[in-house]
Amino acid sequence: MGFPLLSFIIFTPVAGAAVLMFLRGDDAARWTALSFTVLDLALCIAMLVGFDTTTHAMQFTETRPWVPALGINYALGIDGISALFVFLTALLGSICVLASWVAIDRKVKEFMICLLSMQALMLGVFCALDLFLFYVFWEAMLIPMYLIIGVWGGEGRVYAAIKFFLYTLAGSLLFLIGVIVLYFYGGRTFDILALTEQDLPFRIQSWLFFAFLIAFAVKVPMVPVHTWLPDAHVQAPTAGSIILAGVLLKMGAYGFLRFSLPMLPEASMYYSTLMLALSGLAIVYGGLLALAQDDLKKLVAYSSISHMGFVTLGIFALNLRGLEGGILQMFNHGVTTGALFLFVGLIYERTHTRSIADYGGLMKVAPVYTTFLALFTLSSMALPGTNSFVGELLVLSGGFAANLVAGSAAVLGALLGAAYLLGMYGKVALGPASVGARLTIRDVNAREMAAILPLAVFVLWVGLYPKPFLNIIDASVKHLLTHVHSRGSGQ
Amino acid sequence: MTATTLFQSALASLPEIVVITGACILLILGQFVRKGQEHFLVWASVAIVLIAALATLMLASEVRPAYAGMFIADRFAVFFKFVFYLATLLTFLLSRKYADIEGIGSSEYYVLLLFALSGMMIMASATDLLSIYVGLELMVICTYVLTGFLRRERRSNEAALKYVILGAVSTGIFLYGVSLVYGLTGTTQLDGMAAAVTGDPLDPGLLLAVVFIVAGLVFKVGAVPFHMWLPDVYEGAPTTITAFMSTGPKAAGFAVILRVFLNPLVAASNVWIIVAVIAVVTMALGSFVALVQDNFKRLLAYSSIAHAGFAIFGVAAGGADGVASVMLYLLIYAFMNLGIFGAVIMMRNGDFSGEVIEDYAGFAKSHPGLALLMLLYLFSLAGIPPTAGFFAKFYVLVALVEHGFVMLAVIAVLLSAVAAYFYIRIVMVIYMREPKRAFAPALTPLVRAALAVTAAGTIGIGLFPSWFLKLAQDSVFGG
Amino acid sequence: MTAMEFLPVLFMIAGVVLVTGVTLFVSSLLRPSNPYPAKNMPYECGMDAAGEAAAGRFRVPFFILAILLVVFDVEAMFLFPWAVVLKEIGLVGYIEMFIFILLLLVGFAYAWLKGALEWEA
Amino acid sequence: MELIVALGLIVFKVAFLIAILLLLPLPLTWLERKIAGHIQQRMGPMRVGWHGLLQPVADGIKLLTKEDHIPAEADRFLFKLAPILALAPPFVVFVAIPFGESISVLGAEITLYVSNMNVALLFVFAVIGIEVYGVIFGGWAANSKYAVLGSLRTCAQMISYEIPMGFAVIGVVMLAQSMSLLDIVRAQTDVWNIVYQPVGFFVFFVAGLAEAQRIPFDLSEAEGDLGAGFHTEYSGIRFAFFMVSEYAIVLLVSVLVVILFFGGWNGVLIPLPPLLWFVLKVAFFVYVFIWFRFTFPRYRYDQLMAIGWKVLLPLSMANIIITGILLGAMAAP
Amino acid sequence: MVPLWWYIVLGVVLFVIGAAGVLLRRNILVVLMSLELLLNSVNINFIAFGRYHADFRGQIFAIFVIAITAAEVAVALGILVALVRNKSTLKVDDVTVMKG
């Protein structure tokens, strides 16, 4: 065990939050939060630099006994899958601070504390190698998120916050039972790696699979349990939406990757068709709903459901292309949808309306804004050359290999995506300028640019040269896949 | 019994003796305390409890049976005694200002609390149904009086009267069970009972007796179907006493339940099915009824019912882990519940009662620090990590799953999700509403200290549960 | 034999009831009976009695007294058996009972200090 | 056969007791009035019979033939029950009281007690406690303010003095190691308890005065301020029951004092028959009762309560402690 | 000799009467009396069983029950006095102001 880099990554935002507690003044709070998130981002980049892409083994591991009586450890470590998300989280963290620079005008300090603790917990989730620790991070996120939505959200924020809270809580509590059952079947350990090596009877695997499914499906969200998402997204402040879309939704998928697949391979394979069906349903259903939206944020929110459907589709295709595509698509969705929410937030700050009908001809008053919006919209549509194209293509090919119907659904979803996104862009950016827009809208300033640019960079980088990203995940995904297939069908 | 064994027994019960002696002295001395010197009472009471704690600690090294098998000073008892000390001490700290405001800060208040403490301590150490009964009554009689301590307040009178009558009925039921056990086994000692029934554990008479005893005890912890007294009593009693009752006496009730349940007689009688049903119904009732409460104290009363239900799950799980989980649960519950009650108590100032949830609207705006504390307690009560409340529930669930009660565990978590709703509803009021009034919490140094202790416990046990867990586990095996 | 010890009690009760019954019967044969409203009025200086006599508020000391009695009388119950077996249980019995009495005295002293025993004429 | 004889004997003894207790008030009232008269330097009743000897009989006939008046608003059932409740306890108590060891009649040994209970003392206190119900029912049922107030006061007084009374005899029990009155008397063969228990005697006797509601503690029936206390509304034969009950209690207290503190039928110096000793001692205390009545002034009610709680109770408790310590000191070596 | 089960039946009957009294009667004093009845049924049980087992614990327990019940009733009466002084009623239904 060397330098506890991961602990530093996790606790840097905590330290920032602690510092903030003793500060006064809104600007001081903003700058402090920004500097800590940037520091954190720097640490993450350092981590990526030192990351060994040739092995699937956990790296930067740390293990300290926490509750020895129950075999609980404070165990951290990352492999290719989580490394990507650790980085994404840190990146979006900085952007969130920037995005809420002026959007949050009351209780700035408290907001920043929430944001920073949120970031720490999310990082913790991706780094945890102990199920208990994972659960603690996972569940504790509810507190700051609840506050972010509930305190700084829109008019319906209280309802949205409570709905978000209860959905997630109910799901994750069942997950908790699953964890405990796993603990006893897995030889009284919460060590994720050790549990991965267990061969559980199929009956237990099925039960656990559904226990986990409920928790993860709520987070993803998959279709029957997605209803909290539009409310939460719409009511949350911009930064909240970015976190929700960018990181929180990934956690469900991450859970599938980290727990469902390796620990319950037999059940995962057995129920993969069901999962594919649900994913296909989410893709199409989310797309159709997005098509019907007039509210910008709602549209992006429903598109998230659709896009996350691609992710789960890729994962449960259970082949290399599907998995890699799914994981990459998680990253892409984080970047792109995060950016779209940021853009909705930017325009909302200026006009205080999110109704598509209120906009038009933005191109003329805010050319820079609309240009970048075009980039991200296209990215969301998975146009070649953008990041999502790579991911979606991989998912589609994996999906078709696994199940023809699901693959077709995905194609349909992609088409729907093109329809609503283009429609939205057309109405907002092109056409005659609306009266209100022409008078009040100013273009993006430097701070906003600082938030937009990194995202744009990643959109193009992944779209044009995805190899470094695929390299990071490659070893881990391959290992996971062989693990699942050898265990899942070997019996 | 010779003088030597008497001395040994007295030594084993030294903490109890300290508390009772101290209470007696304070009772008399208190009559000479002049107005404006009431702080003497607080410090004297605190000193008494601390001396008792010291005595407990010094005697904790070995198991000491005493009084011809009626009493035992073992680690199990020590653990519970520390929970009681904690609850009592914090109640003292919280009481000073509140008692002044309500005009109940006489010496009797503190003395009764001390006597109730001694009753709880006896309960934790009792190994004979007689000593259990005596301890139990010593405790509840004091709480009856304390409940009605706001003499001019009708709610308080009413609460006390209901409490007395229902409490006496439950005592009667308990005693009837005891008499049946005595008739069937010829002994009232827990060990003796166990030895006497090895032959035919499923004797219907014994089962009936055990059911009666369980029913009587269940009343004391406020579980369904003997919960009806609890909301009224919690609402009517002075808030400090409510805080005390929801932690100390409740823990004492569980101490006895565990002591009885560690007994093979109960273990043999398949009574756990009843206990499991009680746990489910209790938790369901507490959680669902709390959803519609507007009064903070009443809500906390139902929340306390729900928590009792969760702890009973631990009892139903049984085994060393089950017992340890209940013990840990109670310890943690003492911290977080006293914390949230501390916040409610602190709000009582001037003509502001702070009893209605809506009263807290926008509290976070003017008092972010205190609001953060309340948030901490509330999320802990809801069982969200990284607070201690989560670990308490987690360990109970571990015990449940360990003994194969996965279905019970699922029910427990689903109900706790329901329960989470009303906690976050309060958070919502505190954080997401606009303030309607200026808050002037009665934040004395003592209240500050109490809040600091509870907050440290709530977050500390949540982050570093290991030591406390070990303590609870060791205490079970020692007993 | 317990029955022979307590049977006379029953006899005595029966006897008393019998005697009173007979006396009342004899008296009822002899005595006149001519009630009229004024005679049937309760004795209250000739005024009409106002309201239920027992409806008035009684002074609290009466209740306190009743409570004190209940407590003290019952505690005395512990002393009797102790007094009987005093010599058999020896020193330990002494000590324990003195502790008991001491506690009783504390309660008594408290009641005294608190003014529960003060009775205004 | 034996059983029938035993039962018959019991019936006979009980009947005899009832007869004595019912008849004794006759001479006692006469005595009381005579003594009163002479203390106050007048003659007392002189008209009916020689020196008014038949006066009590005349009174009895008067009471028997007087109208039985029940107030209109009264609770009739309780009103009728109360006198009997007041009368029965002192009578029942006498079942447990020994008057001596035994005498031989026609060659057969007959015990001078109806029942030798091992818990006689407790029995006495328990049964005498019922007396309170007669008082409170009587006062309450009449639905008269005087009566209610009187009965409350009487009640308060009786229960106040019951406590020191009970505590006072514990010293005696400690000495005798028994609650059987027979054993208690037997334990006094050599030394009377009065020697060891002067404080106990004092407390017991004073409390007894109050229990019997005799001057100086007859506040509740103080004719001057409360009508006649709880039996204000009673007349005729029911009133007579209360009166008889009062005399029975006077007698009972005297008997108990003699048994508990003055050696019962154990004589001293002069070898008289035990029964005679007993009767003489009891007579003396009955006389003391009457004597007190016309010697002492009446206490105020608050004084009365204060004496009970603040003097007698601490005294009796101190008595227990001191007796215990002395007994322990004697037993220790 | 009275058989044991007579006592037990008596105890049960008293217990039921007491419980019914507590639940059904509206006057608080009557409720308290019913409570006494209930607890005395327990005493009868204890004493009967104690005699049956030729064991003194039953009696000890009964004495404790009596004493502690006395204390309990004393407290109940005290509270009742306080209540009556605030509102002069002895009816259970009149007492209730808290609902829910």
Side-chain angles (χ1 to χ4, degrees):
Chain A
M1 199 190 315
F3 181 70
L5 182 63
L6 293 179
S7 286
F8 267 89
I9 291 179
I10 293 173
F11 285 100
T12 300
V14 176
V19 170
L20 274 177
M21 289 223 183
F22 300 100
L23 280 181
R24 282 172 188 285
D26 292 351
D27 273 329
R30 290 182 183 120
W31 283 110
T32 317
L34 183 65
S35 42
F36 273 95
T37 46
V38 170
L39 175 62
D40 208 25
L41 182 60
L43 285 172
C44 282
I45 291 170
M47 180 271 288
L48 278 186
V49 169
F51 189 80
D52 180 2
T53 55
T54 57
T55 172
H56 67 268
M58 290 294 168
Q59 308 182 28
F60 305 104
T61 52
E62 301 171 32
T63 311
R64 286 184 189 81
W66 189 15
V67 187
L70 291 174
I72 297 171
N73 291 317
Y74 172 80
L76 299 178
I78 49 172
D79 64 357
I81 300 171
S82 37
L84 208 53
F85 297 113
V86 170
F87 173 69
L88 176 68
T89 308
L91 175 71
L92 289 180
S94 313
I95 290 171
C96 283
V97 174
L98 288 173
S100 40
W101 204 267
V102 291
I104 302 300
D105 52 0
R106 61 202 167 90
K107 296 194 223 171
V108 177
K109 182 173 103 179
E110 285 83 358
F111 182 80
M112 292 303 173
I113 290 174
C114 283
L115 215 53
L116 286 173
S117 38
M118 192 72 205
Q119 185 176 344
L121 295 171
M122 293 186 299
L123 290 168
V125 165
F126 289 123
C127 294
L129 277 190
D130 184 279
L131 253 178
F132 183 83
L133 182 65
F134 173 86
Y135 187 82
V136 168
F137 283 131
W138 169 279
E139 189 89 321
M141 280 188 313
L142 288 181
I143 303 175
M145 201 61 212
Y146 173 71
L147 291 176
I148 287 174
I149 300 175
V151 178
W152 291 277
E155 302 85 43
R157 59 183 191 267
V158 171
Y159 170 74
I162 289 180
K163 197 170 176 183
F164 160 78
F165 189 95
L166 290 181
Y167 262 79
T168 327
L169 181 71
S172 49
L173 282 173
L174 285 176
F175 172 57
L176 178 63
I177 299 291
V179 167
I180 296 171
V181 172
L182 198 59
Y183 167 72
F184 283 108
Y185 276 97
R188 296 190 179 239
T189 177
F190 284 108
D191 185 344
I192 290 176
L193 294 179
L195 288 171
T196 314
E197 299 306 319
Q198 297 294 330
D199 278 322
L200 302 175
F202 179 69
R203 197 175 58 85
I204 303 298
Q205 285 200 16
S206 318
W207 282 114
L208 288 179
F209 185 81
F210 281 104
F212 286 11
L213 173 63
I214 293 174
F216 299 146
V218 169
K219 268 263 158 64
V220 167
M222 297 182 81
V223 156
V225 286
H226 66 284
T227 53
W228 64 270
L229 181 97
D231 286 311
H233 267 312
V234 169
Q235 300 303 337
T238 305
S241 297
I242 295 173
I243 289 180
L244 264 178
V247 186
L248 236 51
L249 305 194
K250 305 302 167 300
M251 282 180 187
Y254 179 75
F256 284 128
L257 288 169
R258 185 59 85 219
F259 304 108
S260 297
L261 291 190
M263 289 178 194
L264 317 165
E266 221 179 322
S268 299
M269 294 198 51
Y270 187 81
Y271 294 111
S272 63
T273 320
L274 171 73
M275 298 305 294
L276 289 177
L278 284 175
S279 308
L281 187 64
I283 294 171
V284 177
Y285 186 69
L288 285 174
L289 282 175
L291 203 53
Q293 297 307 318
D294 176 55
D295 186 307
L296 273 174
K297 230 173 174 178
K298 269 199 175 147
L299 186 142
V300 183
Y302 280 111
S303 85
S304 277
I305 296 174
S306 176
H307 284 129
M308 288 312 290
F310 278 101
V311 172
T312 47
L313 182 77
I315 290 172
F316 280 93
L318 289 178
N319 49 37
L320 184 61
R321 272 169 304 174
L323 266 176
E324 288 201 337
I327 295 168
L328 191 63
Q329 191 58 6
M330 280 158 75
F331 181 79
N332 293 338
H333 178 254
V335 171
T336 308
T337 311
L340 283 178
F341 276 119
L342 176 62
F343 272 80
V344 175
L346 290 180
I347 191 97
Y348 180 75
E349 280 167 27
R350 292 162 168 77
T351 61
H352 296 282
T353 172
R354 284 192 299 259
S355 175
I356 296 176
D358 290 345
Y359 292 102
L362 274 187
M363 184 71 98
K364 296 181 180 98
V365 275
V368 186
Y369 176 90
T370 38
T371 313
F372 279 101
L373 180 61
L375 174 69
F376 292 114
T377 312
L378 294 176
S379 152
S380 191
M381 280 158 49
L383 212 72
T386 62
N387 53 355
S388 300
F389 174 72
V390 185
E392 227 167 88
L393 192 68
L394 284 168
V395 169
L396 281 178
S397 70
F400 270 110
N403 187 312
L404 205 61
V405 181
S408 324
V411 173
L412 180 60
L415 291 175
L416 281 171
Y420 58 76
L421 286 166
L422 281 178
M424 181 271 285
Y425 186 78
K427 281 178 204 153
V428 171
L430 311 175
S434 66
V435 180
R438 198 169 37 213
L439 287 180
T440 52
I441 293 177
R442 59 168 176 77
D443 214 337
V444 287
N445 60 21
R447 174 184 58 76
E448 289 156 356
M449 210 55 208
I452 294 167
L453 266 181
L455 295 173
V457 167
F458 278 100
V459 165
L460 294 172
W461 185 0
V462 178
L464 297 174
Y465 186 59
K467 196 159 170 31
F469 297 91
L470 289 174
N471 265 349
I472 291 177
I473 61 175
D474 195 49
S476 301
V477 170
K478 277 184 180 135
H479 173 73
L480 174 63
L481 207 57
T482 45
H483 175 82
V484 172
H485 281 287
S486 69
R487 302 243 172 196
S489 52
Q491 293 160 26
Chain B
M1 199 194 276
T2 65
T4 334
T5 54
L6 180 69
F7 177 73
Q8 290 294 334
S9 302
L11 191 66
S13 62
L14 188 62
E16 284 83 357
I17 293 175
V18 167
V19 172
I20 292 177
T21 315
C24 286
I25 294 172
L26 200 61
L27 182 67
I28 300 301
L29 278 189
Q31 298 308 307
F32 301 106
V33 170
R34 275 191 297 278
K35 220 162 175 53
Q37 295 184 330
E38 287 94 344
H39 55 86
F40 162 77
L41 297 168
V42 183
W43 292 120
S45 325
V46 169
I48 290 166
V49 178
L50 288 180
I51 294 171
L54 199 67
T56 316
L57 213 56
M58 282 180 356
L59 298 171
S61 52
E62 58 180 298
V63 177
R64 298 163 197 268
Y67 300 113
M70 309 252 310
F71 188 95
I72 192 167
D74 56 5
R75 304 197 59 165
F76 178 81
V78 169
F79 184 92
F80 271 103
K81 280 176 194 171
F82 273 96
V83 176
F84 304 151
Y85 295 145
L86 178 76
T88 318
L89 275 180
L90 290 175
T91 309
F92 285 143
L93 296 186
L94 291 172
S95 292
R96 174 75 182 88
K97 177 81 178 173
Y98 179 84
D100 265 4
I101 292 170
E102 293 286 2
I104 55 174
S106 53
S107 66
E108 291 86 354
Y109 178 86
Y110 299 97
V111 171
L112 282 169
L113 275 172
L114 285 174
F115 275 124
L117 171 66
S118 63
M120 298 188 299
M121 290 160 71
I122 293 172
M123 284 168 82
S125 279
T127 53
D128 186 296
L129 289 171
L130 180 56
S131 42
I132 289 176
Y133 170 64
V134 172
L136 185 75
E137 286 297 302
L138 181 51
M139 177 190 82
V140 290
I141 287 177
C142 293
T143 50
Y144 296 154
V145 181
L146 287 168
T147 303
F149 222 77
L150 299 166
R151 267 177 303 178
R152 300 195 207 313
E153 180 97 23
R154 264 202 61 199
R155 280 194 309 174
S156 182
N157 298 149
E158 180 194 329
L161 193 65
K162 277 184 182 167
Y163 193 18
V164 174
I165 289 175
L166 291 171
V169 172
S170 84
T171 306
I173 293 170
F174 170 77
L175 282 174
Y176 200 80
V178 172
S179 76
L180 288 182
V181 167
Y182 173 65
L184 292 168
T185 64
T187 178
T188 53
Q189 259 175 317
L190 294 177
D191 297 343
M193 279 158 51
V197 295
T198 42
D200 183 15
L202 279 177
D203 180 350
L206 264 184
L207 188 64
L208 184 72
V210 171
V211 167
F212 270 89
I213 291 181
V214 169
L217 290 174
V218 151
F219 174 91
K220 304 297 176 200
V221 300
V224 173
F226 301 102
H227 64 281
M228 5 17 152
W229 59 277
L230 201 134
D232 286 350
V233 171
Y234 275 25
E235 186 187 337
T239 315
T240 43
I241 298 308
T242 313
F244 175 71
M245 280 198 292
S246 65
T247 51
K250 180 162 274 188
F254 272 106
V256 172
I257 288 180
L258 289 177
R259 192 69 94 178
V260 173
F261 267 74
L262 288 170
N263 184 331
L265 164 65
V266 179
S269 56
N270 263 346
V271 84
W272 71 265
I273 301 173
I274 307 170
V275 176
V277 171
I278 290 176
V280 171
V281 180
T282 302
M283 217 188 144
L285 181 123
S287 307
F288 281 108
V289 181
L291 293 178
V292 295
Q293 298 303 322
D294 293 322
N295 184 301
F296 207 142
K297 276 163 86 177
R298 229 178 155 71
L299 183 138
L300 285 175
Y302 282 106
S303 127
S304 147
I305 293 176
H307 279 279
F310 210 105
I312 295 174
F313 273 115
V315 178
D321 269 326
V323 175
S325 74
V326 178
M327 292 163 73
L328 190 64
Y329 198 99
L330 293 167
L331 174 67
I332 291 172
Y333 183 68
F335 274 114
M336 57 197 188
N337 212 39
L338 280 168
I340 191 71
F341 267 111
V344 179
I345 290 164
M346 152 192 98
M347 295 304 263
R348 175 78 178 84
N349 203 357
D351 58 348
F352 181 49
S353 75
E355 281 189 21
V356 183
I357 295 174
E358 295 299 317
D359 285 350
Y360 290 79
F363 184 56
K365 196 153 244 175
S366 52
H367 295 83
L370 290 174
L372 186 68
L373 279 185
M374 287 184 77
L375 174 96
L376 177 70
Y377 302 130
L378 287 168
F379 275 113
S380 183
L381 286 167
I384 309 292
T387 56
F390 165 69
F391 193 80
K393 290 196 168 165
F394 172 75
Y395 191 40
V396 172
L397 293 176
V398 166
L400 273 178
V401 174
E402 182 182 14
H403 294 91
F405 301 112
V406 179
M407 257 342 272
L408 285 183
V410 171
I411 295 171
V413 295
L414 289 183
L415 289 173
S416 71
V418 174
Y421 172 75
F422 54 79
Y423 297 119
I424 64 165
R425 191 169 66 113
I426 303 174
V427 175
M428 184 265 286
V429 171
I430 295 175
Y431 273 88
M432 305 171 194
R433 291 277 181 79
E434 288 308 308
K436 289 194 210 107
R437 62 169 77 237
F439 296 95
L443 200 57
T444 61
L446 290 185
V447 175
R448 262 178 218 278
L451 288 178
V453 170
T454 51
T458 311
I459 195 78
I461 302 180
L463 291 178
F464 307 103
S466 187
W467 189 77
F468 293 92
L469 177 70
K470 194 111 186 54
L471 197 67
Q473 284 178 336
D474 288 351
S475 303
V476 175
F477 297 123
Chain C
M1 183 60 202
T2 321
M4 290 309 267
E5 284 168 13
F6 286 92
L7 203 59
V9 176
L10 275 184
F11 283 13
M12 179 55 100
I13 294 171
V16 171
V17 171
L18 190 74
V19 167
T20 50
V22 167
T23 330
L24 280 169
F25 177 69
V26 171
S27 155
S28 72
L29 294 180
L30 298 174
R31 69 193 175 205
S33 176
N34 47 354
Y36 49 91
K39 190 198 265 180
N40 280 348
M41 246 164 41
Y43 172 71
E44 209 165 298
C45 309
M47 307 288 288
D48 274 346
E52 288 270 305
R57 291 197 160 193
F58 300 115
R59 289 158 42 73
V60 170
F62 281 117
F63 295 103
I64 293 177
L65 200 69
I67 292 166
L68 279 178
L69 165 90
V70 170
V71 175
F72 273 95
D73 227 17
V74 167
E75 308 314 335
M77 188 179 63
F78 283 94
L79 290 171
F80 278 94
W82 167 74
V84 171
V85 294
L86 188 65
K87 285 178 183 149
E88 292 158 40
I89 52 174
L91 183 64
V92 173
Y94 274 109
I95 296 172
E96 287 180 348
M97 192 43 75
F98 283 148
I99 293 172
F100 178 78
I101 294 176
L102 201 67
L103 286 173
L104 207 56
L105 277 176
V106 169
F108 180 66
Y110 170 73
W112 195 331
L113 285 171
K114 203 66 190 167
L117 307 182
E118 305 299 328
W119 200 285
E120 298 148 40
Chain D
M1 188 59 204
E2 253 179 60
L3 189 69
I4 294 175
V5 170
L7 286 179
L9 204 57
I10 291 175
V11 171
F12 173 74
K13 283 179 183 171
V14 167
F16 193 73
L17 263 182
I18 294 177
I20 288 181
L21 289 172
L22 276 179
L23 292 180
L24 214 55
L26 298 182
L28 280 181
T29 45
W30 179 78
L31 254 181
E32 184 154 15
R33 293 159 86 169
K34 271 300 182 196
I35 293 170
H38 286 284
I39 285 177
Q40 294 162 351
Q41 302 208 329
R42 52 183 175 86
M43 298 303 284
M46 289 296 282
R47 306 257 165 177
V48 193
W50 181 74
H51 275 265
L53 254 182
L54 291 180
Q55 182 69 42
V57 181
D59 285 347
I61 294 169
K62 177 196 74 179
L63 286 170
L64 199 64
T65 54
K66 239 186 160 178
E67 182 176 354
D68 179 32
H69 159 247
I70 299 178
E73 300 290 313
D75 182 325
R76 298 181 73 88
F77 173 71
L78 285 182
F79 192 83
K80 287 177 178 170
L81 180 67
I84 300 173
L85 264 184
L87 185 65
F91 276 60
V92 172
V93 165
F94 272 96
V95 168
I97 300 235
F99 300 95
E101 292 286 352
S102 60
I103 52 168
S104 37
V105 178
L106 306 171
E109 285 285 303
I110 294 178
T111 51
L112 282 175
Y113 45 85
V114 186
S115 158
N116 176 24
M117 301 177 190
N118 58 352
V119 290
L121 211 47
L122 270 187
F123 176 81
V124 168
F125 279 104
V127 173
I128 211 69
I130 298 173
E131 178 85 5
V132 176
Y133 286 102
V135 170
I136 199 128
F137 285 171
W140 190 81
N143 205 357
S144 151
K145 293 193 176 70
Y146 283 100
V148 170
L149 212 58
S151 74
L152 267 183
R153 282 184 161 204
T154 311
C155 247
Q157 173 186 346
M158 288 176 87
I159 61 181
S160 295
Y161 281 86
E162 229 170 71
I163 296 168
M165 206 171 177
F167 279 24
V169 300
I170 283 169
V172 174
V173 178
M174 285 161 83
L175 288 171
Q177 298 279 288
S178 169
M179 281 190 277
S180 157
L181 294 176
L182 213 56
D183 290 346
I184 290 175
V185 174
R186 282 173 190 154
Q188 300 178 62
T189 322
D190 299 327
V191 188
W192 294 356
N193 274 344
I194 179 74
V195 178
Y196 299 124
Q197 294 284 320
V199 179
F201 162 71
F202 171 73
V203 172
F204 187 87
F205 187 70
V206 174
L209 278 174
E211 248 343 69
Q213 284 149 56
R214 302 287 301 195
I215 279 188
F217 301 115
D218 70 334
L219 265 286
S220 53
E221 359 185 319
E223 286 86 349
D225 26 306
L226 278 176
F230 64 91
H231 47 54
T232 303
E233 298 290 342
Y234 281 92
S235 64
I237 192 68
R238 294 186 204 278
F239 176 74
F241 288 164
F242 281 117
M243 284 288 105
V244 171
S245 145
E246 189 180 320
Y247 279 105
I249 291 177
V250 168
L251 204 59
L252 175 68
V253 173
S254 306
V255 165
L256 282 177
V257 165
V258 169
I259 288 178
L260 295 174
F261 298 99
F262 284 88
W265 48 86
N266 290 316
V268 50
L269 300 175
I270 313 158
L272 291 174
L275 190 59
L276 191 58
W277 260 118
F278 188 74
V279 171
L280 281 176
K281 288 182 200 167
V282 173
F284 171 73
F285 280 102
V286 171
Y287 174 73
V288 169
F289 266 86
I290 297 169
W291 168 39
F292 274 18
R293 174 165 177 188
F294 300 102
T295 310
F296 284 104
R298 183 185 287 148
Y299 280 112
R300 261 195 348 255
Y301 194 70
D302 60 321
Q303 290 171 326
L304 172 119
M305 300 306 280
I307 291 171
W309 285 101
K310 294 184 181 173
V311 179
L312 295 188
L313 185 57
L315 268 183
S316 59
M317 285 172 103
N319 184 44
I320 294 172
I321 293 173
I322 292 166
T323 310
I325 290 172
L326 289 181
L327 273 179
M330 280 194 287
Chain E
M1 192 70 197
V2 185
L4 177 66
W5 66 271
W6 283 27
Y7 291 109
I8 298 173
V9 168
L10 177 64
V12 170
V13 169
L14 282 184
F15 189 85
V16 171
I17 294 174
V22 173
L23 296 175
L24 302 178
R25 294 303 292 262
R26 302 275 72 155
N27 188 308
I28 293 169
L29 282 177
V30 178
V31 167
L32 288 178
M33 289 180 207
S34 306
L35 272 178
E36 284 292 314
L37 215 53
L38 199 148
L39 288 158
N40 279 323
S41 82
V42 173
N43 288 340
I44 287 174
N45 266 3
F46 271 122
I47 291 165
F49 284 134
R51 191 160 171 91
Y52 171 73
H53 288 300
D55 181 42
F56 56 88
R57 278 203 203 89
Q59 294 186 29
I60 293 180
F61 220 118
I63 291 180
F64 270 88
V65 170
I66 294 172
I68 292 175
T69 307
E72 211 165 40
V73 168
V75 167
L77 286 175
I79 293 166
L80 194 58
V81 170
L83 183 70
V84 170
R85 286 169 72 78
N86 274 348
K87 182 179 196 317
S88 94
T89 180
L90 288 177
K91 300 282 187 299
V92 172
D93 298 332
D94 295 349
V95 170
T96 308
V97 290
M98 288 183 289
K99 289 265 161 55

